[in-house]
Amino acid sequence: MSAQIIDGKAVALEVRSGVAKKVEELKAKGINPCLAVILVGENPASVSYVTGKRKALAEAGMEDRSVNLPESTTEAELLKIIDELNKDKTVHGILVQLPLPKHINEEKVILAIAPEKDVDGFHPVNVGNMMIGKKAFLPCTPHGILVLLEKAGIKTDGAHAVVIGRSNIVGKPVSILLTRREYNCTVTICHTGTKNLAEITKQADILIAAVGRAKTVTADMVKPGAVVIDVGVNRIPDETKKSGFHLEGDVDFNEVKEVASFITPVPGGVGPMTIAMLIYNTLEAAENTLEC
């Protein structure tokens, strides 16, 4: 029997609809939630992501203060723009689309964003607060994964979660979040230095693949009945597509769906949740101004 598909599009739509309702409530109080998305250069993938984010902002009724900059923009120029947005009280969230051109130091840029406007959840202040369980903006993709598990009714208490990947954007934060008392998982992190990977992944009740390599997880690596969350978005050349490529996840979907109990597809799984949680964080940033 094939796995039940966790529909990220449907869950993301639910999250975004809820945000839109709260945006109307905030506007009635004189606060217009606003996000500034900064794009440097014209990386095709980045342009596509930013387009999706701007569309989501519009649908949520939020103000879009996007800034498109040429590839030649200097680090100093970018930092000046961030400083101005930090000081602008009508801007609640700031997101700099990564990756940046090589002549710009990403770490400096992330540090320059005020923690209270860091809706990506990448600033060390937010990362530290997340680590110790204090209030913080959670990174969008890990947060989206947790919402997918909740909406699918997956029981996490006491479950063994195996995360493949240790990136600062997905692997590390989702591992930390799953150990929180409200999820109560035992977590194992695997990476390029892990020996006998399949032996470990076959122990997982919840398997999260965030590797960045297509079809890394095959059926023989998955315990029957496991929940499989595929974070991968890999562009595979495909002459039959107008775009010249199709998307594949880090999981061999067709194989693994015959073994797992639940599985996220690519596209349409984790991806839509990332933008939904960004909009959610922007709303939260605007709501926080009521407390000031």
Side-chain angles (χ1 to χ4, degrees):
M1 189 169 145
S2 291
Q4 185 171 328
I5 307 299
I6 300 176
D7 189 344
K9 284 184 180 179
V11 177
L13 183 61
E14 184 181 337
V15 171
R16 286 163 62 164
S17 296
V19 168
K21 288 178 184 177
K22 290 190 176 181
V23 167
E24 289 303 315
E25 293 172 11
L26 273 184
K27 284 183 175 179
K29 296 175 183 177
I31 296 174
N32 186 13
C34 173
L35 174 64
V37 180
I38 303 173
L39 175 65
V40 183
E42 296 181 359
N43 177 297
S46 293
V47 170
S48 176
Y49 290 141
V50 168
T51 300
K53 289 167 184 174
R54 297 189 69 179
K55 182 182 177 185
L57 280 174
E59 289 177 358
M62 292 181 170
E63 185 180 343
D64 178 358
R65 198 77 64 84
S66 294
V67 182
N68 290 358
L69 301 170
E71 184 94 13
S72 58
T73 301
T74 66
E75 184 179 283
E77 288 169 337
L78 177 56
L79 292 174
K80 183 182 178 185
I81 289 168
I82 292 171
D83 183 56
E84 290 169 353
L85 292 170
N86 280 337
K87 293 173 181 174
D88 188 338
K89 292 184 179 179
T90 64
V91 174
H92 302 103
I94 302 170
L95 181 152
V96 178
Q97 183 64 45
L98 303 178
L100 288 166
K102 291 182 180 179
H103 65 277
I104 298 176
N105 185 313
E106 288 187 0
E107 187 176 348
K108 274 189 184 179
V109 170
I110 290 170
L111 284 171
I113 299 171
E116 66 272 16
K117 297 189 179 188
D118 166 43
V119 290
D120 247 343
F122 292 165
H123 193 286
V125 168
N126 281 316
V127 174
N129 283 334
M130 175 194 70
M131 180 77 185
I132 62 176
K134 291 183 70 177
K135 184 177 180 180
F137 291 118
L138 302 181
C140 300
T141 301
H143 193 184
I145 291 169
L146 296 179
V147 173
L148 284 178
L149 291 173
E150 290 169 12
K151 294 293 183 181
I154 307 300
K155 293 182 179 179
T156 59
D157 188 19
H160 182 191
V162 174
V163 179
I164 313 175
R166 54 181 166 184
S167 72
N168 292 332
I169 295 173
V170 181
K172 288 177 185 174
V174 79
S175 301
I176 292 165
L177 291 168
L178 283 169
T179 62
R180 284 186 171 184
R181 289 190 183 277
E182 59 263 41
Y183 302 107
N184 220 27
C185 288
T186 297
V187 180
T188 300
I189 304 176
C190 298
H191 44 74
T192 51
T194 301
K195 296 177 181 178
N196 303 320
L197 178 63
E199 288 182 19
I200 297 172
T201 58
K202 285 181 81 169
Q203 298 173 36
D205 301 306
I206 300 169
L207 179 60
I208 300 174
V211 189
R213 192 171 64 246
K215 296 184 178 180
T216 295
V217 177
T218 51
D220 59 338
M221 298 171 66
V222 179
K223 179 171 76 173
V227 175
V228 179
I229 305 294
D230 190 349
V231 185
V233 182
N234 304 288
R235 294 187 173 206
I236 308 300
D238 187 342
E239 294 179 1
T240 68
K241 301 290 183 182
K242 187 177 179 182
S243 62
F245 66 86
H246 69 266
L247 299 179
E248 287 184 7
D250 291 348
V251 174
D252 189 330
F253 181 83
N254 289 329
E255 272 195 17
V256 174
K257 73 177 183 180
E258 301 303 324
V259 180
S261 59
F262 288 83
I263 191 169
T264 59
V266 175
V270 174
M273 293 302 298
T274 300
I275 291 180
M277 302 323 295
L278 170 67
I279 301 302
Y280 178 93
N281 281 354
T282 303
L283 171 70
E284 193 172 73
E287 288 177 331
N288 288 343
T289 63
L290 291 172
E291 301 171 10
C292 297

PDB file of all heavy atoms in Angstrom, residues 160-164 188-191 194-209 211 216-224 226-228:
ATOM      1  N   HIS A 160      11.955   8.407  16.856  1.00  0.00           N
ATOM      2  CA  HIS A 160      13.353   8.578  16.456  1.00  0.00           C
ATOM      3  C   HIS A 160      13.348   9.304  15.110  1.00  0.00           C
ATOM      4  O   HIS A 160      12.885   8.761  14.105  1.00  0.00           O
ATOM      5  CB  HIS A 160      14.055   7.229  16.328  1.00  0.00           C
ATOM      6  CG  HIS A 160      15.513   7.344  15.972  1.00  0.00           C
ATOM      7  ND1 HIS A 160      16.270   6.263  15.589  1.00  0.00           N
ATOM      8  CD2 HIS A 160      16.357   8.410  15.945  1.00  0.00           C
ATOM      9  CE1 HIS A 160      17.503   6.657  15.340  1.00  0.00           C
ATOM     10  NE2 HIS A 160      17.576   7.961  15.543  1.00  0.00           N
ATOM     11  N   ALA A 161      13.837  10.537  15.106  1.00  0.00           N
ATOM     12  CA  ALA A 161      13.932  11.317  13.872  1.00  0.00           C
ATOM     13  C   ALA A 161      15.375  11.298  13.388  1.00  0.00           C
ATOM     14  O   ALA A 161      16.294  11.565  14.161  1.00  0.00           O
ATOM     15  CB  ALA A 161      13.470  12.749  14.104  1.00  0.00           C
ATOM     16  N   VAL A 162      15.555  10.960  12.128  1.00  0.00           N
ATOM     17  CA  VAL A 162      16.896  10.998  11.519  1.00  0.00           C
ATOM     18  C   VAL A 162      16.890  12.097  10.469  1.00  0.00           C
ATOM     19  O   VAL A 162      16.037  12.120   9.576  1.00  0.00           O
ATOM     20  CB  VAL A 162      17.273   9.645  10.884  1.00  0.00           C
ATOM     21  CG1 VAL A 162      18.600   9.757  10.139  1.00  0.00           C
ATOM     22  CG2 VAL A 162      17.364   8.560  11.962  1.00  0.00           C
ATOM     23  N   VAL A 163      17.832  13.020  10.612  1.00  0.00           N
ATOM     24  CA  VAL A 163      17.966  14.137   9.678  1.00  0.00           C
ATOM     25  C   VAL A 163      19.244  13.938   8.868  1.00  0.00           C
ATOM     26  O   VAL A 163      20.331  13.792   9.435  1.00  0.00           O
ATOM     27  CB  VAL A 163      18.029  15.486  10.430  1.00  0.00           C
ATOM     28  CG1 VAL A 163      18.183  16.644   9.445  1.00  0.00           C
ATOM     29  CG2 VAL A 163      16.783  15.685  11.291  1.00  0.00           C
ATOM     30  N   ILE A 164      19.104  13.903   7.550  1.00  0.00           N
ATOM     31  CA  ILE A 164      20.293  13.793   6.691  1.00  0.00           C
ATOM     32  C   ILE A 164      20.605  15.194   6.185  1.00  0.00           C
ATOM     33  O   ILE A 164      19.865  15.761   5.386  1.00  0.00           O
ATOM     34  CB  ILE A 164      20.067  12.848   5.492  1.00  0.00           C
ATOM     35  CG1 ILE A 164      19.420  11.544   5.931  1.00  0.00           C
ATOM     36  CG2 ILE A 164      21.385  12.566   4.791  1.00  0.00           C
ATOM     37  CD1 ILE A 164      19.067  10.628   4.772  1.00  0.00           C
ATOM     38  N   THR A 188      18.868  11.955  15.456  1.00  0.00           N
ATOM     39  CA  THR A 188      20.189  11.602  14.948  1.00  0.00           C
ATOM     40  C   THR A 188      20.443  12.435  13.691  1.00  0.00           C
ATOM     41  O   THR A 188      19.579  12.511  12.816  1.00  0.00           O
ATOM     42  CB  THR A 188      20.280  10.113  14.573  1.00  0.00           C
ATOM     43  OG1 THR A 188      20.004   9.326  15.742  1.00  0.00           O
ATOM     44  CG2 THR A 188      21.669   9.752  14.039  1.00  0.00           C
ATOM     45  N   ILE A 189      21.621  13.074  13.634  1.00  0.00           N
ATOM     46  CA  ILE A 189      21.988  13.853  12.450  1.00  0.00           C
ATOM     47  C   ILE A 189      23.030  13.076  11.647  1.00  0.00           C
ATOM     48  O   ILE A 189      24.058  12.664  12.177  1.00  0.00           O
ATOM     49  CB  ILE A 189      22.575  15.227  12.830  1.00  0.00           C
ATOM     50  CG1 ILE A 189      21.599  16.008  13.715  1.00  0.00           C
ATOM     51  CG2 ILE A 189      22.905  16.037  11.575  1.00  0.00           C
ATOM     52  CD1 ILE A 189      22.156  17.334  14.212  1.00  0.00           C
ATOM     53  N   CYS A 190      22.749  12.897  10.364  1.00  0.00           N
ATOM     54  CA  CYS A 190      23.695  12.243   9.458  1.00  0.00           C
ATOM     55  C   CYS A 190      24.223  13.259   8.456  1.00  0.00           C
ATOM     56  O   CYS A 190      23.552  14.251   8.142  1.00  0.00           O
ATOM     57  CB  CYS A 190      23.015  11.095   8.709  1.00  0.00           C
ATOM     58  SG  CYS A 190      22.395   9.780   9.780  1.00  0.00           S
ATOM     59  N   HIS A 191      25.434  12.994   7.939  1.00  0.00           N
ATOM     60  CA  HIS A 191      26.053  13.935   6.999  1.00  0.00           C
ATOM     61  C   HIS A 191      27.090  13.189   6.169  1.00  0.00           C
ATOM     62  O   HIS A 191      27.134  11.951   6.182  1.00  0.00           O
ATOM     63  CB  HIS A 191      26.681  15.107   7.761  1.00  0.00           C
ATOM     64  CG  HIS A 191      27.468  14.678   8.979  1.00  0.00           C
ATOM     65  ND1 HIS A 191      28.697  14.074   8.894  1.00  0.00           N
ATOM     66  CD2 HIS A 191      27.151  14.727  10.300  1.00  0.00           C
ATOM     67  CE1 HIS A 191      29.138  13.796  10.111  1.00  0.00           C
ATOM     68  NE2 HIS A 191      28.204  14.170  10.985  1.00  0.00           N
ATOM     69  N   THR A 194      29.116  10.440   7.772  1.00  0.00           N
ATOM     70  CA  THR A 194      28.412   9.328   8.420  1.00  0.00           C
ATOM     71  C   THR A 194      28.729   8.001   7.730  1.00  0.00           C
ATOM     72  O   THR A 194      28.611   7.879   6.512  1.00  0.00           O
ATOM     73  CB  THR A 194      26.886   9.557   8.386  1.00  0.00           C
ATOM     74  OG1 THR A 194      26.586  10.779   9.065  1.00  0.00           O
ATOM     75  CG2 THR A 194      26.147   8.421   9.054  1.00  0.00           C
ATOM     76  N   LYS A 195      29.120   7.017   8.524  1.00  0.00           N
ATOM     77  CA  LYS A 195      29.377   5.675   7.996  1.00  0.00           C
ATOM     78  C   LYS A 195      28.106   4.843   8.135  1.00  0.00           C
ATOM     79  O   LYS A 195      27.331   5.032   9.072  1.00  0.00           O
ATOM     80  CB  LYS A 195      30.531   5.021   8.753  1.00  0.00           C
ATOM     81  CG  LYS A 195      31.874   5.760   8.568  1.00  0.00           C
ATOM     82  CD  LYS A 195      32.963   5.115   9.388  1.00  0.00           C
ATOM     83  CE  LYS A 195      34.286   5.873   9.207  1.00  0.00           C
ATOM     84  NZ  LYS A 195      35.365   5.298  10.046  1.00  0.00           N
ATOM     85  N   ASN A 196      27.911   3.922   7.206  1.00  0.00           N
ATOM     86  CA  ASN A 196      26.740   3.038   7.247  1.00  0.00           C
ATOM     87  C   ASN A 196      25.436   3.836   7.338  1.00  0.00           C
ATOM     88  O   ASN A 196      24.593   3.587   8.210  1.00  0.00           O
ATOM     89  CB  ASN A 196      26.850   2.067   8.431  1.00  0.00           C
ATOM     90  CG  ASN A 196      28.130   1.252   8.379  1.00  0.00           C
ATOM     91  OD1 ASN A 196      28.551   0.822   7.318  1.00  0.00           O
ATOM     92  ND2 ASN A 196      28.745   1.068   9.533  1.00  0.00           N
ATOM     93  N   LEU A 197      25.291   4.786   6.419  1.00  0.00           N
ATOM     94  CA  LEU A 197      24.132   5.675   6.423  1.00  0.00           C
ATOM     95  C   LEU A 197      22.812   4.904   6.426  1.00  0.00           C
ATOM     96  O   LEU A 197      21.904   5.202   7.218  1.00  0.00           O
ATOM     97  CB  LEU A 197      24.186   6.613   5.205  1.00  0.00           C
ATOM     98  CG  LEU A 197      23.018   7.582   5.027  1.00  0.00           C
ATOM     99  CD1 LEU A 197      22.937   8.548   6.197  1.00  0.00           C
ATOM    100  CD2 LEU A 197      23.161   8.348   3.703  1.00  0.00           C
ATOM    101  N   ALA A 198      22.695   3.914   5.577  1.00  0.00           N
ATOM    102  CA  ALA A 198      21.437   3.167   5.456  1.00  0.00           C
ATOM    103  C   ALA A 198      21.056   2.476   6.760  1.00  0.00           C
ATOM    104  O   ALA A 198      19.866   2.367   7.094  1.00  0.00           O
ATOM    105  CB  ALA A 198      21.527   2.152   4.325  1.00  0.00           C
ATOM    106  N   GLU A 199      22.048   2.010   7.515  1.00  0.00           N
ATOM    107  CA  GLU A 199      21.761   1.348   8.792  1.00  0.00           C
ATOM    108  C   GLU A 199      21.077   2.311   9.758  1.00  0.00           C
ATOM    109  O   GLU A 199      20.214   1.920  10.547  1.00  0.00           O
ATOM    110  CB  GLU A 199      23.054   0.813   9.415  1.00  0.00           C
ATOM    111  CG  GLU A 199      23.633  -0.393   8.695  1.00  0.00           C
ATOM    112  CD  GLU A 199      24.884  -0.908   9.395  1.00  0.00           C
ATOM    113  OE1 GLU A 199      25.075  -0.569  10.591  1.00  0.00           O
ATOM    114  OE2 GLU A 199      25.660  -1.636   8.748  1.00  0.00           O
ATOM    115  N   ILE A 200      21.501   3.566   9.694  1.00  0.00           N
ATOM    116  CA  ILE A 200      20.936   4.575  10.601  1.00  0.00           C
ATOM    117  C   ILE A 200      19.572   5.037  10.109  1.00  0.00           C
ATOM    118  O   ILE A 200      18.621   5.142  10.893  1.00  0.00           O
ATOM    119  CB  ILE A 200      21.907   5.775  10.737  1.00  0.00           C
ATOM    120  CG1 ILE A 200      23.223   5.300  11.360  1.00  0.00           C
ATOM    121  CG2 ILE A 200      21.280   6.880  11.593  1.00  0.00           C
ATOM    122  CD1 ILE A 200      24.321   6.325  11.365  1.00  0.00           C
ATOM    123  N   THR A 201      19.452   5.314   8.808  1.00  0.00           N
ATOM    124  CA  THR A 201      18.167   5.809   8.288  1.00  0.00           C
ATOM    125  C   THR A 201      17.059   4.777   8.453  1.00  0.00           C
ATOM    126  O   THR A 201      15.897   5.134   8.640  1.00  0.00           O
ATOM    127  CB  THR A 201      18.276   6.209   6.808  1.00  0.00           C
ATOM    128  OG1 THR A 201      18.707   5.084   6.031  1.00  0.00           O
ATOM    129  CG2 THR A 201      19.262   7.357   6.625  1.00  0.00           C
ATOM    130  N   LYS A 202      17.414   3.484   8.433  1.00  0.00           N
ATOM    131  CA  LYS A 202      16.402   2.427   8.581  1.00  0.00           C
ATOM    132  C   LYS A 202      15.864   2.341  10.012  1.00  0.00           C
ATOM    133  O   LYS A 202      14.889   1.637  10.271  1.00  0.00           O
ATOM    134  CB  LYS A 202      16.971   1.077   8.155  1.00  0.00           C
ATOM    135  CG  LYS A 202      17.088   0.945   6.635  1.00  0.00           C
ATOM    136  CD  LYS A 202      17.620  -0.405   6.211  1.00  0.00           C
ATOM    137  CE  LYS A 202      16.528  -1.450   6.224  1.00  0.00           C
ATOM    138  NZ  LYS A 202      16.959  -2.712   5.564  1.00  0.00           N
ATOM    139  N   GLN A 203      16.492   3.084  10.935  1.00  0.00           N
ATOM    140  CA  GLN A 203      15.990   3.130  12.314  1.00  0.00           C
ATOM    141  C   GLN A 203      14.989   4.263  12.512  1.00  0.00           C
ATOM    142  O   GLN A 203      14.338   4.356  13.550  1.00  0.00           O
ATOM    143  CB  GLN A 203      17.158   3.345  13.280  1.00  0.00           C
ATOM    144  CG  GLN A 203      18.200   2.238  13.272  1.00  0.00           C
ATOM    145  CD  GLN A 203      19.407   2.598  14.134  1.00  0.00           C
ATOM    146  OE1 GLN A 203      19.266   3.230  15.173  1.00  0.00           O
ATOM    147  NE2 GLN A 203      20.590   2.193  13.700  1.00  0.00           N
ATOM    148  N   ALA A 204      14.843   5.116  11.512  1.00  0.00           N
ATOM    149  CA  ALA A 204      14.043   6.338  11.667  1.00  0.00           C
ATOM    150  C   ALA A 204      12.540   6.091  11.614  1.00  0.00           C
ATOM    151  O   ALA A 204      12.037   5.422  10.710  1.00  0.00           O
ATOM    152  CB  ALA A 204      14.425   7.337  10.585  1.00  0.00           C
ATOM    153  N   ASP A 205      11.842   6.674  12.584  1.00  0.00           N
ATOM    154  CA  ASP A 205      10.384   6.748  12.511  1.00  0.00           C
ATOM    155  C   ASP A 205       9.995   7.932  11.619  1.00  0.00           C
ATOM    156  O   ASP A 205       9.006   7.902  10.904  1.00  0.00           O
ATOM    157  CB  ASP A 205       9.784   6.958  13.905  1.00  0.00           C
ATOM    158  CG  ASP A 205      10.155   5.831  14.852  1.00  0.00           C
ATOM    159  OD1 ASP A 205       9.911   4.662  14.497  1.00  0.00           O
ATOM    160  OD2 ASP A 205      10.706   6.120  15.935  1.00  0.00           O
ATOM    161  N   ILE A 206      10.830   8.979  11.709  1.00  0.00           N
ATOM    162  CA  ILE A 206      10.671  10.165  10.865  1.00  0.00           C
ATOM    163  C   ILE A 206      12.010  10.422  10.189  1.00  0.00           C
ATOM    164  O   ILE A 206      13.020  10.609  10.871  1.00  0.00           O
ATOM    165  CB  ILE A 206      10.250  11.400  11.694  1.00  0.00           C
ATOM    166  CG1 ILE A 206       8.925  11.147  12.409  1.00  0.00           C
ATOM    167  CG2 ILE A 206      10.164  12.651  10.811  1.00  0.00           C
ATOM    168  CD1 ILE A 206       8.567  12.202  13.444  1.00  0.00           C
ATOM    169  N   LEU A 207      12.021  10.405   8.872  1.00  0.00           N
ATOM    170  CA  LEU A 207      13.258  10.594   8.121  1.00  0.00           C
ATOM    171  C   LEU A 207      13.165  11.898   7.329  1.00  0.00           C
ATOM    172  O   LEU A 207      12.251  12.072   6.518  1.00  0.00           O
ATOM    173  CB  LEU A 207      13.494   9.422   7.174  1.00  0.00           C
ATOM    174  CG  LEU A 207      14.762   9.477   6.293  1.00  0.00           C
ATOM    175  CD1 LEU A 207      16.021   9.551   7.138  1.00  0.00           C
ATOM    176  CD2 LEU A 207      14.806   8.264   5.365  1.00  0.00           C
ATOM    177  N   ILE A 208      14.093  12.813   7.589  1.00  0.00           N
ATOM    178  CA  ILE A 208      14.108  14.110   6.908  1.00  0.00           C
ATOM    179  C   ILE A 208      15.349  14.192   6.037  1.00  0.00           C
ATOM    180  O   ILE A 208      16.479  14.129   6.535  1.00  0.00           O
ATOM    181  CB  ILE A 208      14.076  15.267   7.922  1.00  0.00           C
ATOM    182  CG1 ILE A 208      12.793  15.181   8.764  1.00  0.00           C
ATOM    183  CG2 ILE A 208      14.171  16.623   7.208  1.00  0.00           C
ATOM    184  CD1 ILE A 208      12.721  16.178   9.894  1.00  0.00           C
ATOM    185  N   ALA A 209      15.151  14.312   4.728  1.00  0.00           N
ATOM    186  CA  ALA A 209      16.275  14.360   3.785  1.00  0.00           C
ATOM    187  C   ALA A 209      16.498  15.791   3.332  1.00  0.00           C
ATOM    188  O   ALA A 209      15.650  16.393   2.675  1.00  0.00           O
ATOM    189  CB  ALA A 209      15.985  13.468   2.584  1.00  0.00           C
ATOM    190  N   VAL A 211      19.689  16.976   1.760  1.00  0.00           N
ATOM    191  CA  VAL A 211      21.047  16.686   1.281  1.00  0.00           C
ATOM    192  C   VAL A 211      21.460  17.592   0.129  1.00  0.00           C
ATOM    193  O   VAL A 211      22.601  18.024   0.032  1.00  0.00           O
ATOM    194  CB  VAL A 211      21.144  15.217   0.790  1.00  0.00           C
ATOM    195  CG1 VAL A 211      22.580  14.841   0.494  1.00  0.00           C
ATOM    196  CG2 VAL A 211      20.527  14.269   1.789  1.00  0.00           C
ATOM    197  N   THR A 216      18.916  10.592  -3.274  1.00  0.00           N
ATOM    198  CA  THR A 216      19.895  10.041  -2.329  1.00  0.00           C
ATOM    199  C   THR A 216      19.263   8.938  -1.481  1.00  0.00           C
ATOM    200  O   THR A 216      19.890   7.922  -1.182  1.00  0.00           O
ATOM    201  CB  THR A 216      20.433  11.157  -1.400  1.00  0.00           C
ATOM    202  OG1 THR A 216      21.149  12.099  -2.191  1.00  0.00           O
ATOM    203  CG2 THR A 216      21.353  10.591  -0.330  1.00  0.00           C
ATOM    204  N   VAL A 217      18.015   9.143  -1.080  1.00  0.00           N
ATOM    205  CA  VAL A 217      17.323   8.180  -0.221  1.00  0.00           C
ATOM    206  C   VAL A 217      16.525   7.210  -1.087  1.00  0.00           C
ATOM    207  O   VAL A 217      15.608   7.604  -1.813  1.00  0.00           O
ATOM    208  CB  VAL A 217      16.386   8.887   0.771  1.00  0.00           C
ATOM    209  CG1 VAL A 217      15.612   7.859   1.602  1.00  0.00           C
ATOM    210  CG2 VAL A 217      17.180   9.811   1.685  1.00  0.00           C
ATOM    211  N   THR A 218      16.881   5.948  -1.004  1.00  0.00           N
ATOM    212  CA  THR A 218      16.200   4.902  -1.773  1.00  0.00           C
ATOM    213  C   THR A 218      15.390   4.011  -0.831  1.00  0.00           C
ATOM    214  O   THR A 218      15.524   4.094   0.396  1.00  0.00           O
ATOM    215  CB  THR A 218      17.221   4.063  -2.549  1.00  0.00           C
ATOM    216  OG1 THR A 218      18.253   3.626  -1.637  1.00  0.00           O
ATOM    217  CG2 THR A 218      17.873   4.881  -3.658  1.00  0.00           C
ATOM    218  N   ALA A 219      14.555   3.175  -1.398  1.00  0.00           N
ATOM    219  CA  ALA A 219      13.623   2.366  -0.606  1.00  0.00           C
ATOM    220  C   ALA A 219      14.318   1.487   0.429  1.00  0.00           C
ATOM    221  O   ALA A 219      13.797   1.282   1.533  1.00  0.00           O
ATOM    222  CB  ALA A 219      12.759   1.514  -1.533  1.00  0.00           C
ATOM    223  N   ASP A 220      15.503   0.972   0.074  1.00  0.00           N
ATOM    224  CA  ASP A 220      16.197   0.077   1.005  1.00  0.00           C
ATOM    225  C   ASP A 220      16.795   0.818   2.201  1.00  0.00           C
ATOM    226  O   ASP A 220      17.349   0.192   3.111  1.00  0.00           O
ATOM    227  CB  ASP A 220      17.301  -0.703   0.271  1.00  0.00           C
ATOM    228  CG  ASP A 220      18.343   0.201  -0.371  1.00  0.00           C
ATOM    229  OD1 ASP A 220      18.034   1.382  -0.625  1.00  0.00           O
ATOM    230  OD2 ASP A 220      19.466  -0.271  -0.620  1.00  0.00           O
ATOM    231  N   MET A 221      16.671   2.143   2.224  1.00  0.00           N
ATOM    232  CA  MET A 221      17.184   2.949   3.339  1.00  0.00           C
ATOM    233  C   MET A 221      16.072   3.350   4.305  1.00  0.00           C
ATOM    234  O   MET A 221      16.319   4.032   5.299  1.00  0.00           O
ATOM    235  CB  MET A 221      17.863   4.217   2.799  1.00  0.00           C
ATOM    236  CG  MET A 221      19.070   3.949   1.919  1.00  0.00           C
ATOM    237  SD  MET A 221      19.676   5.451   1.098  1.00  0.00           S
ATOM    238  CE  MET A 221      20.262   6.410   2.490  1.00  0.00           C
ATOM    239  N   VAL A 222      14.842   2.929   4.017  1.00  0.00           N
ATOM    240  CA  VAL A 222      13.684   3.399   4.781  1.00  0.00           C
ATOM    241  C   VAL A 222      12.996   2.254   5.509  1.00  0.00           C
ATOM    242  O   VAL A 222      12.723   1.205   4.924  1.00  0.00           O
ATOM    243  CB  VAL A 222      12.678   4.097   3.841  1.00  0.00           C
ATOM    244  CG1 VAL A 222      11.450   4.575   4.617  1.00  0.00           C
ATOM    245  CG2 VAL A 222      13.335   5.268   3.118  1.00  0.00           C
ATOM    246  N   LYS A 223      12.720   2.467   6.782  1.00  0.00           N
ATOM    247  CA  LYS A 223      11.991   1.475   7.577  1.00  0.00           C
ATOM    248  C   LYS A 223      10.531   1.459   7.132  1.00  0.00           C
ATOM    249  O   LYS A 223       9.917   2.522   6.955  1.00  0.00           O
ATOM    250  CB  LYS A 223      12.079   1.845   9.066  1.00  0.00           C
ATOM    251  CG  LYS A 223      11.330   0.886   9.979  1.00  0.00           C
ATOM    252  CD  LYS A 223      11.627   1.170  11.453  1.00  0.00           C
ATOM    253  CE  LYS A 223      10.905   2.392  11.954  1.00  0.00           C
ATOM    254  NZ  LYS A 223      11.067   2.548  13.428  1.00  0.00           N
ATOM    255  N   PRO A 224       9.950   0.288   6.940  1.00  0.00           N
ATOM    256  CA  PRO A 224       8.529   0.225   6.572  1.00  0.00           C
ATOM    257  C   PRO A 224       7.656   1.002   7.554  1.00  0.00           C
ATOM    258  O   PRO A 224       7.793   0.849   8.775  1.00  0.00           O
ATOM    259  CB  PRO A 224       8.221  -1.280   6.619  1.00  0.00           C
ATOM    260  CG  PRO A 224       9.534  -1.924   6.305  1.00  0.00           C
ATOM    261  CD  PRO A 224      10.565  -1.060   6.983  1.00  0.00           C
ATOM    262  N   ALA A 226       7.731   4.305   7.928  1.00  0.00           N
ATOM    263  CA  ALA A 226       8.343   5.564   8.353  1.00  0.00           C
ATOM    264  C   ALA A 226       7.676   6.756   7.664  1.00  0.00           C
ATOM    265  O   ALA A 226       7.080   6.636   6.595  1.00  0.00           O
ATOM    266  CB  ALA A 226       9.835   5.564   8.037  1.00  0.00           C
ATOM    267  N   VAL A 227       7.790   7.913   8.300  1.00  0.00           N
ATOM    268  CA  VAL A 227       7.340   9.181   7.716  1.00  0.00           C
ATOM    269  C   VAL A 227       8.558   9.810   7.039  1.00  0.00           C
ATOM    270  O   VAL A 227       9.604   9.986   7.672  1.00  0.00           O
ATOM    271  CB  VAL A 227       6.788  10.132   8.799  1.00  0.00           C
ATOM    272  CG1 VAL A 227       6.429  11.493   8.193  1.00  0.00           C
ATOM    273  CG2 VAL A 227       5.594   9.498   9.488  1.00  0.00           C
ATOM    274  N   VAL A 228       8.434  10.144   5.754  1.00  0.00           N
ATOM    275  CA  VAL A 228       9.578  10.661   5.001  1.00  0.00           C
ATOM    276  C   VAL A 228       9.291  12.086   4.527  1.00  0.00           C
ATOM    277  O   VAL A 228       8.326  12.332   3.805  1.00  0.00           O
ATOM    278  CB  VAL A 228       9.909   9.762   3.793  1.00  0.00           C
ATOM    279  CG1 VAL A 228      11.088  10.329   3.007  1.00  0.00           C
ATOM    280  CG2 VAL A 228      10.223   8.336   4.265  1.00  0.00           C
TER     281      VAL A 228
END
